[in-house]
Amino acid sequence: MSFRSGRHFLHVPGPTNVPDRVLRAMSRPTIDHRGPQFAELTGRLLTGLRDAFGNPDGDVIIYPASGSGGWEASISNTMRPGDRVLMFDQGFFAQGWRRTASAFGLEVDLVEHDWSLPVSADAVEQQLRYDNGAEPYKSLMIVHNETTTGVTTDIPAIRAALDAANHDALLMVDAVSSLGSMPLEQVEWGVDVIVCGSQKGLMLPPGLAFNSISPKALRAHDNASLPNAYWDWVAMRTQNQSGFFPYTPATNLLFGLEEALAMLFEEGLYAVFARHSRLAAATRAAVQAWGLRVFCSDPNAYSSSVTAVAVPGGVDADDLRAVILDNFDLSLGTGLGKLQGQVFRIGHLGDINDLMLAGVLSGIEMGLRLAGVEHQSGGVAAALEELASTAPTAPTAPSRPRADPQRIR
Ligand code: PLP
């Protein structure tokens, strides 16, 4: 590849840009993971993570893994072979979690679903009420923000549907592309297991996976009987209590995690969410002005972290992405699964500000022109107008106190 000046624009919906502060923190010399300094680090990280997940008195497990490892952990710690679980075909990542569940011998009911829409509470309630399987579902597994489609599902409404159906299934939520970008309150929302990864809203490189767990999920662990060693919550919890890990942790990623959490708490989590929501609105303003279609067809379900953009028929979205990468050194997300070639995805999450987004949208607008894709000009102008005319307004934060950045560091 020829020399490229300036910075690469990484705007796939994860991995995201790693801030310089985090890169510097990770470049520190590795320390003894069985020494006293490490134990203190673990304590600070778990405090910060509990706060980030809205699980202030619960347990967060940190694995050296990608998000998919977090899926495996959520299943192998709670289920028994043949357990029935309920899922909806929300997109490529829901399908991935389903494949993991099937590989563990679970019986997965995957309900057909329109990828452009969120899972509705009614659909969940119907499915739970009129289920006539031999055994009740043990778990409902929902992707909070489907990164394939840019569609966000309302988790408190899903919780309400479980309660309305008086159902005891565990509520498991994939928050890989929502944590750190949009509100997520585990205890308040009644979620039993949250699965996450490091490379998106947490602004770290790939390499850490998380399970944040409720007391009910921990009780399910007592009856679980799937093969489970590396992922064992209890072994991890026991060691974490004295500040250590059952095996060698990803020490330098943990240095980065400490810095990333400090950054999130310095800005204020709810200010971070407001920033994401505003950048997402500006992105959609550009897409609409270009005359292209935001793939998500429910305005209440627009994602704050990723926008999937449908290209006109006859255009291959990957050809457009290639033109944009070649000419402007800007990486956008490919269409996944059945959306391959039909959409491109703009990641507007993590360490990003107004001018970075303006650069991304400019690259796309110039790319549309160079690739000969039928569109109207003026998308960037519409986004700038949106940004210039809106001040960020923070969504209402829960009343409990948030972590003190000084405690994280
Ligand atoms: N879940 C969602 C919503 C994702 O976006 C991803 C990855 O992008 C995953 C799970 C899988 O995570 P990983 O690729 O880190 O294994």
Side-chain angles (χ1 to χ4, degrees):
M1 196 168 95
S2 56
F3 175 81
R4 290 181 185 279
S5 57
R7 278 187 101 134
H8 174 64
F9 270 60
L10 179 65
H11 288 276
V12 299
T16 60
N17 290 293
V18 180
D20 292 349
R21 273 176 65 174
V22 171
L23 288 172
R24 277 196 296 274
M26 289 191 308
S27 72
R28 289 185 348 234
T30 305
I31 58 173
D32 173 14
H33 62 284
R34 303 194 195 281
Q37 235 188 315
F38 198 92
E40 286 169 18
L41 170 69
T42 304
R44 293 193 299 274
L45 290 177
L46 293 178
T47 303
L49 285 171
R50 282 195 284 265
D51 203 20
F53 281 92
N55 191 15
D57 305 313
D59 291 288
V60 182
I61 307 290
I62 313 172
Y63 297 109
S66 82
S68 306
W71 283 340
E72 187 155 331
S74 68
I75 292 163
S76 66
N77 277 289
T78 54
M79 297 287 132
R80 300 170 71 84
D83 274 351
R84 296 181 66 231
V85 299
L86 176 60
M87 298 191 73
F88 289 78
D89 183 10
Q90 297 173 261
F92 183 80
F93 292 106
Q95 292 182 348
W97 204 3
R98 173 257 173 94
R99 269 194 303 282
T100 310
S102 299
F104 273 91
L106 303 190
E107 198 190 305
V108 186
D109 271 1
L110 184 77
V111 178
E112 269 186 44
H113 185 74
D114 177 341
W115 279 20
S116 76
L117 293 172
V119 177
S120 80
D122 281 352
V124 169
E125 194 179 332
Q126 293 289 320
Q127 194 70 29
L128 294 174
R129 274 191 197 281
Y130 301 109
D131 172 44
N132 51 15
E135 293 284 329
Y137 293 118
K138 289 285 169 38
S139 171
L140 167 61
M141 294 154 69
I142 297 279
V143 178
H144 183 203
N145 184 71
E146 187 36 271
T147 324
T148 326
T149 59
V151 176
T152 304
T153 285
D154 180 346
I155 300 300
I158 301 296
R159 172 77 259 168
L162 267 167
D163 294 344
N166 201 17
H167 204 289
D168 196 39
L170 292 173
L171 176 56
M172 296 195 189
V173 171
D174 172 326
V176 172
S177 59
S178 58
L179 180 93
S181 304
M182 48 189 98
L184 179 71
E185 296 290 340
Q186 179 159 10
V187 171
E188 199 176 300
W189 294 4
V191 180
D192 293 300
V193 183
I194 297 180
V195 176
C196 198
S198 53
Q199 74 274 25
K200 305 200 188 231
L202 284 177
M203 307 179 289
L204 291 163
L208 296 179
F210 306 92
N211 275 184
S212 183
I213 56 188
S214 73
K216 179 172 163 183
L218 207 52
R219 287 195 295 279
H221 180 283
D222 295 342
N223 296 316
S225 61
L226 290 171
N228 168 257
Y230 186 78
W231 306 112
D232 184 3
W233 286 346
V234 169
M236 188 70 92
R237 263 182 104 230
T238 309
Q239 289 285 318
N240 279 178
Q241 273 155 12
S242 49
F244 300 110
F245 283 71
Y247 38 75
T248 313
T251 304
N252 289 53
L253 280 169
L254 297 181
F255 290 157
L257 176 60
E258 180 174 33
E259 192 64 27
L261 287 169
M263 288 176 70
L264 289 174
F265 295 131
E266 273 169 38
E267 184 174 352
L269 273 184
Y270 277 72
V272 172
F273 304 151
R275 170 167 55 81
H276 280 77
S277 153
R278 185 167 158 274
L279 294 175
T283 303
R284 291 190 299 271
V287 173
Q288 276 144 14
W290 288 323
L292 302 182
R293 183 167 58 83
V294 171
F295 180 77
C296 174
S297 54
D298 177 350
N300 293 317
Y302 287 148
S303 166
S304 289
S305 60
V306 52
T307 299
V309 182
V311 292
V315 175
D316 183 330
D318 284 339
D319 291 345
L320 171 65
R321 286 175 51 252
V323 167
I324 292 171
L325 178 61
D326 281 354
N327 287 279
F328 307 113
D329 203 15
L330 161 61
S331 290
L332 298 167
T334 185
L336 293 170
K338 66 185 182 190
L339 296 184
Q340 174 106 47
Q342 296 176 31
V343 303
F344 65 90
R345 295 172 303 143
I346 308 172
H348 35 75
L349 71 166
D351 187 39
I352 175 172
N353 62 24
D354 290 15
L355 293 189
M356 290 163 80
L357 184 74
V360 172
L361 297 173
S362 301
I364 298 172
E365 189 161 320
M366 291 189 285
L368 287 166
R369 195 166 138 186
L370 283 180
V373 177
E374 200 183 323
H375 71 289
Q376 290 139 35
S377 58
V380 173
L384 297 185
E385 176 57 32
E386 175 76 25
L387 291 173
S389 63
T390 54
T393 42
T396 319
S399 51
R400 71 189 166 74
R402 315 284 332 183
D404 169 1
Q406 297 311 321
R407 261 169 57 215
I408 303 305
R409 212 187 280 279

